[in-house]
Amino acid sequence: MPEDPLKIIRNNDPELFGQIENTANLSFADGDIPLKYKLLIAMSLDASKGAVDGVKALARRAMDEGATKEEMFEVLRIAYYITGAGSIYTAVNGLIDLFDNE
């Protein structure tokens, strides 16, 4: 995994970093939606925004929470339907290391 992309914020603007961290903690906190699904949603949003590293990191975290390959690709169908083909190419680049041996 690449170096922490927020390191420069953490080191130079701790107050902003604290806000980002609080929002992340709130977003992924225990609640009615299981963490696995929250991570899959976030992965599909990163795919729609062109964030390859985000797709990769969130896919790994989702798998650690029990997400299956099938669930990942099903959620990408929704991202593709809503945001178009660019989300698929981003997802492929983010997932290739996870599934390149298949």
Side-chain angles (χ1 to χ4, degrees), residues 8-55:
I8 195 159
I9 302 292
R10 182 175 356 108
N11 292 342
N12 292 284
D13 191 343
E15 186 176 348
L16 175 59
F17 181 77
Q19 291 295 319
I20 294 167
E21 192 172 47
N22 287 341
T23 301
N25 290 337
L26 176 64
S27 298
F28 294 106
D30 288 339
D32 292 329
I33 299 173
L35 179 57
K36 170 177 81 167
Y37 297 117
K38 291 178 182 184
L39 293 166
L40 289 172
I41 291 166
M43 183 195 75
S44 71
L45 291 169
D46 268 1
S48 72
K49 292 293 190 177
V52 172
D53 289 338
V55 169

Side-chain angles (χ1 to χ4, degrees), residues 27 54 69 75 85 94:
S27 298
K69 175 176 64 171
V75 99

